[in-house]
Amino acid sequence: SGDKKYSISSYRHLSSIVSDLCDKAYEMCPPVKMEMINYDQLSSAAARARRELAEAMVAHQQEENLGMTGFGPEVAIYRAIFLSTGLHKKQPDGKWRFVAPSVHSEIYPLWEFLSHEINSTDNKGVSVDVLINKLKTPPYGLREGVIPLYLCLFLLINSDEVALFQEGIYKPYFDEAEIALMMKRPELFIVKRFAPVGLKREVFETYLSILNTVNLSNNLDLRNPTLLSVVGPLVQFIDALPAYS
């Protein structure tokens, strides 16, 4: 706290001062009301619960409780981080979806940081491990255990504008395999933002109208007319063609 000096009268007084200093140093850190996930090094049980929750996030976003049942640790983490904070909500159409935090949310500063970091990078994008390391420092001070879940949330909500690359290869779909590997090897992944405007957007909308009238396999979930929602189905469709075609 600058040059201010404190006279310590007891261990309790010392704890109170340190707590206040931490509040100032990490003023933008959202509260994590789940102790088992709030560590840099997770126990094997906590790591497994985090992986199962992340996989449910990408595979069952539209289901209540992300399709999870029972009272396991993955369910407890989900309820503490996403359900109780209103980040996973039931929509008017009856489906559940993740939603971006409001400007008044305690997680909003973290959201702004991620948006700024991805927007300010050049065409090379930003590595996931760089984002994790920055979020561990002031003014955020998040523990490494919970950061991948927030990154997963950001990637899901911004799936139409943020592209994911694994070892330089574009990943048109973000599923259980990618999120599990990203938690173990974040340095392998890079994120880039694509926000088409003007003539480019008209081209994407034309492609999207074509894709929506053609019965492509795998029941693709096409959303907004952006680069990813057009390129992703095209890549998957072409990849499924016979070698001769």
Side-chain angles (χ1 to χ4, degrees):
S1 184
D3 296 327
K4 185 176 180 180
K5 295 182 179 180
Y6 296 87
S7 177
I8 308 300
S9 58
S10 65
Y11 284 115
R12 178 176 295 182
H13 186 205
L14 173 62
S15 178
S16 176
I17 292 174
V18 172
S19 179
D20 290 340
L21 293 176
C22 287
D23 285 341
K24 293 178 182 178
Y26 304 109
E27 60 181 351
M28 292 186 179
C29 181
V32 180
K33 300 178 181 179
M34 172 51 64
E35 184 178 1
M36 72 176 300
I37 199 73
N38 200 22
Y39 292 95
D40 284 327
Q41 298 293 329
L42 298 181
S43 66
S44 58
R48 181 172 60 253
R50 183 184 65 174
R51 188 196 71 246
E52 292 176 355
L53 171 55
E55 291 175 353
M57 289 173 68
V58 299
H60 303 287
Q61 178 183 173
Q62 297 183 348
E63 299 179 30
E64 185 176 4
N65 292 322
L66 300 176
M68 299 184 296
T69 59
F71 302 93
E74 67 282 355
V75 176
I77 297 171
Y78 158 73
R79 290 176 176 174
I81 296 178
F82 299 120
L83 186 62
S84 65
T85 55
L87 294 173
H88 193 227
K89 290 182 176 181
K90 188 176 183 179
Q91 304 302 309
D93 61 3
K95 296 181 179 180
W96 287 71
R97 291 186 182 87
F98 286 111
V99 297
S102 69
V103 294
H104 304 294
S105 170
E106 291 175 307
I107 194 181
Y108 188 73
L110 180 152
W111 204 257
E112 283 286 275
F113 164 80
L114 292 175
S115 297
H116 177 268
E117 286 294 306
I118 295 174
N119 285 336
S120 61
T121 57
D122 55 22
N123 192 46
K124 295 181 180 179
V126 57
S127 176
V128 170
D129 66 326
V130 169
L131 294 175
I132 290 175
N133 288 331
K134 286 187 176 181
L135 285 172
K136 292 170 65 176
T137 61
Y140 304 98
L142 277 167
R143 300 294 178 86
E144 192 167 341
V146 73
I147 293 175
L149 293 176
Y150 284 132
L151 289 175
C152 181
L153 176 72
F154 185 86
L155 290 173
L156 288 172
I157 292 178
N158 293 281
S159 61
D160 287 334
E161 295 184 1
V162 176
L164 183 68
F165 292 79
Q166 179 184 333
E167 296 183 276
I169 300 174
Y170 170 62
K171 308 294 292 185
Y173 294 94
F174 186 47
D175 57 24
E176 297 99 314
E178 277 72 32
I179 186 60
L181 182 59
M182 192 176 76
M183 289 186 173
K184 291 183 178 180
R185 300 287 304 279
E187 72 278 4
L188 298 180
F189 292 86
I190 289 176
V191 290
K192 300 180 185 181
R193 182 181 293 277
F194 292 99
V197 295
L199 179 60
K200 290 184 179 180
R201 178 171 291 278
E202 294 178 6
V203 174
F204 296 143
E205 290 175 348
T206 300
Y207 275 120
L208 185 67
S209 66
I210 296 174
L211 291 171
N212 276 336
T213 58
V214 176
N215 185 22
L216 297 180
S217 62
N218 297 329
N219 190 25
L220 299 173
D221 182 19
L222 301 177
R223 295 187 296 275
N224 298 324
T226 65
L227 178 66
L228 295 184
S229 57
V230 171
V231 172
L234 287 175
V235 170
Q236 189 179 54
F237 172 69
I238 294 171
D239 186 59
L241 292 172
Y244 177 81
S245 301

